[in-house]
Amino acid sequence: MEKLLVHGGSRLKGTVTISGSKNSSLPIMAATLLTREKCVIRKVPDLSDTNYMVRILATLGADVERASGNVITSAENVSHQAPYDLVRKMRASVCVLGPLVGRLRQALVSLPGGCVIGDRPIDLHLRGLEALGARVEVKGGDVSVHAAEGLRGAEVNMRGKHGSTVLGTGNIMMAAVLAKGQTIIEGAAVEPEVSDLAAFLNAMGAKVQGAGTRTIVIEGVDELGGAEHVVIPDRIEAGTFLVAGALAGDDVTLENVCSSHMGELINFLRQSGHPVNELPGDRLHISSGQDVRGNDLVTGPYPEFATDMQAQVCALCATTPGISVVTETVFPQRFMHVPELNRMGANIRMEDSTAIIRGVERLSAAPVMASDLRASAALVVAGLAAEGTTEVNRLYHIDRGYENIDDKLHRIGARVERVSQ
Ligand code: EPZ
């Protein structure tokens, strides 16, 4: 098992190149199952999650190869049964359901387990597939979906009590593109990753309109062809480095970003007193604000404040003078980072799914335990400005969603070391 030693105190300076989006790459890789022809997906980050998806596609029978940031697939003959031992390791595997049912009229995928950020149901995915005419059976931890006559277009709603489902919207889009007739998805997720998936599906010959709005209209086609696609920048990785720059940055530039995908975070940082500047050529610049103050935020489905940025912002607010109130509405339990930040001297009190953060002068290093992808990133960010060397254990959590995070941190002057335990 590896851990990251984060030596606090260095001021960050330099340019970091943001990778392609993990949360866009995963459904797009699954969508390649919809055609026998060759697909080339560019700027797929080299992460354990995307590597899991490569293995799942290969185990399903596709020819898959990775070459310098590209994933090249040819899914000529695929099985309908996703491998349990791989699927159970990554919730996002559920997004092979839609393409498998769309193309093969059947799928057998194991139910994703819960995880530390909360229960991860897929009821909205399954209800959507039933609306398209599939028969869904959950048995022995597996989801079995059949549509012997093929799927038929229908009106489906992807909104749950915590907002619209991102992967659910993607799954139903991927199932509907080969269905007979028209599908209308109401209450669709409007995340940029949904729009990116729709762009890829349309490049394959699908007829998807309205992605990025709450209503997506899909006209089913008989078959799809191969396509090439460049994945959008990872707005959460970019946000994580932006927060690092706010916390400990003298002069940090991010390149390969899409700042229009990061509106709520940029507004939050500016309102807190951190100068964020949008530069030409898809770049952002940030340095620590000189006169910063506590600020409040409530997470929500896009375009509201991203739940995936909540932990990192808690790390920033831990040493921001004044009181900050952070409320989580998407995954109400997503506060595994709070006890670890408090071990580092933060003053965070929980009230249900709200963190009341009283800024302290400085955090102090401590051995801390990573628990999920974004909480781990928050602990690394907190360590950058803490007194001493913070030891972030269970580094595999970070490697799921951040490509070469140590190299990127080194490039902007952070003193971090990856060591084996
Ligand atoms: C995607 O997960 C992202 N993952 C998550 O990022 C992100 O936190 C989440 O969207 C919300 O933005 C990928 O895209 C691979 P949801 P997803 O379905 O699609 C409830 C990261 O850190 N819900 O939008 O699985 C659910 O419990 C990861 O990169 C149902 O009730 O999330 C949650 O409260 C973590 N029934 C809310 O909806 C369902 O059938 C949003 O979940 C599906 C979801």
Side-chain angles (χ1 to χ4, degrees):
M1 197 118 65
E2 293 182 312
K3 60 187 174 185
L4 197 66
L5 302 183
V6 183
H7 305 292
S10 312
R11 296 297 297 172
L12 306 180
K13 190 177 174 61
T15 298
V16 60
T17 303
I18 299 302
S19 299
S21 163
K22 162 181 87 81
N23 291 351
S24 196
S25 299
L26 294 170
I28 286 176
M29 289 165 77
T32 64
L33 292 167
L34 286 161
T35 179
R36 299 173 180 283
E37 296 180 10
K38 178 179 165 185
C39 293
V40 180
I41 308 162
R42 303 194 189 285
K43 290 195 178 179
V44 175
D46 182 8
L47 308 164
S48 45
D49 272 14
T50 51
N51 291 330
Y52 276 137
M53 188 56 82
V54 166
R55 288 170 58 192
I56 289 170
L57 297 182
T59 311
L60 285 168
D63 287 331
V64 199
E65 61 172 298
R66 265 195 180 278
S68 54
N70 302 329
V71 169
I72 299 112
T73 70
S74 296
E76 285 186 43
N77 301 299
V78 289
S79 148
H80 73 280
Q81 187 163 335
Y84 167 74
D85 61 328
L86 281 176
V87 167
R88 69 182 174 80
K89 290 179 181 166
M90 180 177 69
R91 165 178 166 88
S93 318
V94 70
C95 62
V96 301
L97 257 184
L100 287 178
V101 179
R103 171 153 172 210
L104 302 176
R105 301 186 172 186
Q106 60 175 338
L108 181 65
V109 180
S110 80
L111 269 173
C115 64
V116 288
I117 69 175
D119 183 18
R120 305 298 295 273
I122 60 167
D123 55 309
L124 296 169
H125 300 235
L126 302 182
R127 272 220 303 270
L129 290 170
E130 286 175 328
L132 295 176
R135 185 167 47 80
V136 173
E137 195 182 1
V138 178
K139 198 165 67 176
D142 286 335
V143 179
S144 169
V145 185
H146 288 84
E149 309 302 315
L151 296 173
R152 289 185 316 279
E155 189 161 330
V156 297
N157 195 309
M158 300 318 292
R159 192 184 295 280
K161 65 182 176 184
H162 296 288
S164 300
T165 164
V166 176
L167 285 178
T169 302
N171 242 337
I172 297 309
M173 264 201 310
M174 292 188 280
V177 288
L178 291 175
K180 295 179 189 68
Q182 182 184 72
T183 296
I184 298 177
I185 303 178
E186 294 294 356
V190 299
E191 274 72 357
E193 294 78 24
V194 171
S195 300
D196 206 28
L197 173 60
F200 178 61
L201 291 170
N202 285 338
M204 295 170 81
K207 291 179 178 164
V208 180
Q209 291 186 324
T213 75
R214 291 288 175 214
T215 302
I216 298 175
V217 180
I218 299 163
E219 298 298 337
V221 295
D222 293 336
E223 66 175 345
L224 295 177
E228 296 214 6
H229 184 79
V230 181
V231 168
I232 56 172
D234 193 311
R235 61 190 169 98
I236 306 302
E237 184 193 33
T240 304
F241 277 96
L242 215 48
V243 167
L247 190 64
D250 279 347
D251 173 15
V252 175
T253 300
L254 278 58
E255 59 181 16
N256 187 41
V257 298
C258 190
S259 49
S260 63
H261 294 165
M262 305 166 64
E264 279 308 298
L265 174 67
I266 291 170
N267 291 340
F268 178 87
L269 292 172
R270 285 175 174 159
Q271 286 157 13
S272 307
H274 298 288
V276 185
N277 294 303
E278 297 178 49
L279 304 176
D282 300 336
R283 293 179 302 148
L284 276 173
H285 180 272
I286 188 157
S287 54
S288 304
Q290 298 310 309
D291 172 22
V292 294
R293 55 208 163 278
N295 196 356
D296 301 345
L297 73 88
V298 179
T299 70
Y302 192 88
E304 294 169 46
F305 192 95
T307 172
D308 294 349
M309 280 306 305
Q310 180 257 109
Q312 299 89 314
V313 168
C314 284
L316 175 63
C317 294
T319 54
T320 300
I323 303 276
S324 300
V325 179
V326 174
T327 301
E328 172 61 62
T329 72
V330 180
F331 295 110
Q333 302 163 39
R334 194 175 198 172
F335 286 103
M336 301 294 285
H337 45 287
V338 167
E340 300 302 314
L341 289 171
N342 283 341
R343 281 172 46 77
M344 296 175 70
N347 180 346
I348 307 176
R349 185 167 51 82
M350 291 306 301
E351 275 181 18
D352 299 328
S353 57
T354 294
I356 293 105
I357 306 170
R358 184 183 297 277
V360 297
E361 182 67 30
R362 194 169 188 201
L363 297 184
S364 48
V368 288
M369 196 63 78
S371 54
D372 81 274
L373 170 53
R374 307 304 176 183
S376 323
L379 297 173
V380 172
V381 166
L384 293 172
E387 178 82 35
T389 296
T390 298
E391 214 177 85
V392 182
N393 294 290
R394 296 186 182 168
L395 211 44
Y396 56 86
H397 286 294
I398 285 203
D399 291 337
R400 288 191 50 198
Y402 290 89
E403 186 177 41
N404 304 328
I405 191 165
D406 4 7
D407 299 345
K408 289 177 177 171
L409 285 168
H410 284 143
R411 282 176 196 278
I412 51 176
R415 288 183 301 123
V416 297
E417 286 171 72
R418 181 184 289 255
V419 297
S420 299
Q421 270 170 319

